[in-house]
Amino acid sequence: MKKLRLTAAALSLCAALSACSRFVPSSYTRVSAHSQSQAEQQDKNVVSVGDYAGLRRAIRDFVRSGVEHGVIRVRQYTGTLEEDLAAAAYSVAREDPAGAYAVDYMTHECTLIVSYYEIHVDITFRETKTALSDIPYVSNTRDLERRLREAMDNYDSVLTVYAGYAQEPDYAALAKTYYEENLDRLMAMPEVTLENYPQGATPRIAEVTFTYPEPSRTLESMAKQVADTLSAASVYVRIRESDWDKMQLLYSYLTERFTYTERETKTPVYSLLCEGYATSWSMAQSWALLCREAGLTCQVVEGQLDGESYWWNLISLDEQWYHMDLMQDVLAQSGLNLRYDEDMAAYSWDREAYPACPAPEEAQTPAGAEEPAAETQDPPSEPEQPENPSGESPSEQPSETPEDDPNTILQNYAINQR
């Protein structure tokens, strides 16, 4: 009889323990000698609250910490718990920046255990491009622009920030400005898209995505080739002292590299300098880069030609500005032409935004005289040879060698750089 009583007591105890395990997830009831750190982590995922603010804060903390299953214990709650629980879960998942960005969906269950309620919150996270823990807080547009520039310098595919600024900037315009200011380093303008979490709120998580036409490694290789080409151009004109001579030699350097073809590409400066594909925009921008390397003062003009968007250059020589339309000159193989404002009848531009290029007064036709045909200044087909310091006659001077060819200079420069 005594054995029977002991057996019945043991069965009663086991039944009681089994009933308790229904209210506590198995992940919190497993205990082993080597699971102390796991138990400590589980304790962090069990919090106690007493009102709606605490309830919402607990769910938000679960989200920000990446907790997939959390437990909330509620004692002496002030309010309607079930209604507040649903409202708090929705608010965090859809209205809080972290929840709107990272949560796919969320479920919860509330159980009464003697003197308190136990709430189980299960969170399914969506796959994000940036982990919540890696998202920086940005309070102003100046800091945003700095981070955007860093992302473009590295050809990053995404920039995610916790945006504390109220006014939404034009991210694509910021990217375009930075790209055009660094055409010698940035080989492509990315396609920029924006997604806010949640929409129209402050603060919010802003995810800016950059889509480039080529992998980052390819674009970095292109940038290296462009840098070598620009540096070789500066070496090519180093023997000339006057701006006129430098400009003429620089034009020879450009035109002898390729027979140019008009074509739009996603890497315009690289395509012009290293492949021979040109547009008026890439021609004007590339010429400005070459002039900068040679120490010449040059600007890019944005305007129209025959009513269509078009770009060309202004160059300053001996304190006189001239128009240069290299796209027309190169495609027509007409040689280098410098133009005054009076020669630009087919062009239109904001004249107040750029230096004036009037023809010198002495070049104007006197009153009553027959007006000659418009003239342009063409450079000589070959740059003038520098004076012979040794005093030898011209017939004794060495003729132009293959080393003077632009492509040969570029190759020699690349070899020396190694």
Side-chain angles (χ1 to χ4, degrees), residues 22 33 94 112 126 163 184 193 196 228 243 279 281 315 320 362 364 392:
R22 290 180 300 163
R94 296 293 176 261
L112 176 62
R126 73 181 187 91
D184 57 331
T193 56
N196 281 320
D228 288 345
D243 288 348
T279 64
W281 186 88
I315 191 167
Q320 168 71 47
E362 59 270 23
Q364 295 179 357
E392 298 176 350

Side-chain angles (χ1 to χ4, degrees), residues 221-275:
S221 176
M222 289 179 176
K224 177 64 167 57
Q225 295 177 61
V226 167
D228 288 345
T229 301
L230 294 174
S231 297
S234 66
V235 173
Y236 189 63
V237 301
R238 72 187 186 281
I239 60 175
R240 297 294 188 261
E241 294 184 0
S242 75
D243 288 348
W244 283 92
D245 289 342
K246 288 181 179 180
M247 176 193 65
Q248 293 169 1
L249 198 56
L250 202 62
Y251 180 79
S252 297
Y253 175 84
L254 179 68
T255 55
E256 291 173 11
R257 290 179 57 77
F258 301 101
T259 299
Y260 290 89
T261 303
E262 187 171 7
R263 182 186 298 181
E264 294 274 359
T265 72
K266 297 292 186 180
T267 55
V269 171
Y270 170 82
S271 294
L272 187 135
L273 293 176
C274 302
E275 295 179 320

Side-chain angles (χ1 to χ4, degrees), residues 75-380:
R75 291 183 173 85
Q76 298 179 346
Y77 188 82
T78 56
T80 306
L81 180 58
E82 292 188 358
E83 294 180 2
D84 287 355
L85 175 58
Y90 178 86
S91 175
V92 171
R94 296 293 176 261
E95 298 174 351
D96 180 79
Y101 179 71
V103 173
D104 189 4
Y105 63 91
M106 183 187 305
T107 61
H108 49 81
E109 182 180 2
C110 181
T111 304
L112 176 62
I113 301 181
V114 187
S115 61
Y116 66 92
Y117 287 95
E118 189 166 273
I119 301 171
H120 292 253
V121 179
D122 291 288
I123 304 172
T124 299
F125 293 91
R126 73 181 187 91
E127 186 175 351
T128 60
K129 296 179 181 178
T130 308
L132 282 173
S133 58
D134 295 333
I135 299 177
Y137 182 83
V138 177
S139 60
N140 55 69
T141 54
R142 179 179 298 178
D143 190 14
L144 169 68
E145 290 179 20
R146 177 181 63 82
R147 293 180 181 275
L148 184 143
R149 292 193 295 266
E150 292 175 353
M152 292 182 65
D153 286 342
N154 297 325
Y155 294 111
D156 292 338
S157 61
V158 65
L159 170 65
T160 309
V161 298
Y162 201 102
Y165 41 86
Q167 186 174 0
E168 190 81 273
D170 188 337
Y171 295 91
L174 292 176
K176 185 173 184 291
T177 297
Y178 187 62
Y179 165 68
E180 292 182 349
E181 291 174 350
N182 296 274
L183 293 173
D184 57 331
R185 297 189 303 105
L186 304 179
M187 293 297 99
M189 172 63 195
E191 179 183 344
V192 180
T193 56
L194 168 68
E195 189 69 34
N196 281 320
Y197 303 89
Q199 291 286 346
T202 303
R204 62 195 174 278
I205 289 179
E207 184 179 71
V208 185
T209 303
F210 305 98
T211 304
Y212 287 95
E214 299 287 348
S216 59
R217 185 170 297 181
T218 301
L219 294 172
E220 289 169 356
S221 176
M222 289 179 176
K224 177 64 167 57
Q225 295 177 61
V226 167
D228 288 345
T229 301
L230 294 174
S231 297
S234 66
V235 173
Y236 189 63
V237 301
R238 72 187 186 281
I239 60 175
R240 297 294 188 261
E241 294 184 0
S242 75
D243 288 348
W244 283 92
D245 289 342
K246 288 181 179 180
M247 176 193 65
Q248 293 169 1
L249 198 56
L250 202 62
Y251 180 79
S252 297
Y253 175 84
L254 179 68
T255 55
E256 291 173 11
R257 290 179 57 77
F258 301 101
T259 299
Y260 290 89
T261 303
E262 187 171 7
R263 182 186 298 181
E264 294 274 359
T265 72
K266 297 292 186 180
T267 55
V269 171
Y270 170 82
S271 294
L272 187 135
L273 293 176
C274 302
E275 295 179 320
Y277 300 133
T279 64
S280 68
W281 186 88
S282 65
M283 184 67 76
Q285 298 290 353
S286 298
W287 179 253
L289 292 175
L290 290 167
C291 286
R292 186 184 71 182
E293 290 294 319
L296 299 175
T297 302
C298 179
Q299 292 188 23
V300 175
V301 181
E302 179 180 0
Q304 292 185 329
L305 174 60
D306 296 327
E308 300 291 335
S309 293
Y310 198 77
W311 287 264
W312 65 96
N313 296 98
L314 294 176
I315 191 167
S316 177
L317 302 167
D318 296 336
E319 300 183 356
Q320 168 71 47
W321 285 94
Y322 301 90
H323 293 273
M324 298 182 66
D325 185 352
L326 288 183
M327 188 66 180
Q328 297 292 328
D329 295 344
V330 168
L331 293 182
Q333 298 183 354
S334 61
L336 177 61
N337 292 280
L338 300 181
R339 301 169 173 87
Y340 300 115
D341 288 340
E342 293 80 358
D343 304 318
M344 305 292 287
Y347 301 76
S348 61
W349 68 98
D350 184 355
R351 293 176 180 255
E352 295 183 357
Y354 301 97
C357 306
E361 292 184 3
E362 59 270 23
Q364 295 179 357
T365 304
E370 182 179 354
E371 184 174 355
E375 295 182 357
T376 57
Q377 299 184 25
D378 295 336

Side-chain angles (χ1 to χ4, degrees), residues 18-96:
S18 299
C20 290
S21 66
R22 290 180 300 163
F23 301 105
V24 182
S26 59
S27 60
Y28 289 94
T29 57
R30 294 195 186 100
V31 178
S32 62
H34 59 277
S35 63
Q36 181 177 357
S37 60
Q38 182 181 359
E40 291 174 353
Q41 181 62 40
Q42 291 167 354
D43 290 341
K44 293 179 181 178
N45 297 343
V46 179
V47 297
S48 298
V49 302
D51 55 17
Y52 174 81
L55 191 64
R56 186 182 184 281
R57 183 168 55 252
I59 297 174
R60 184 195 62 190
D61 290 345
F62 288 157
V63 170
R64 293 185 177 183
S65 300
V67 175
E68 295 181 344
H69 183 81
V71 177
I72 303 173
R73 290 173 181 164
V74 181
R75 291 183 173 85
Q76 298 179 346
Y77 188 82
T78 56
T80 306
L81 180 58
E82 292 188 358
E83 294 180 2
D84 287 355
L85 175 58
Y90 178 86
S91 175
V92 171
R94 296 293 176 261
E95 298 174 351
D96 180 79

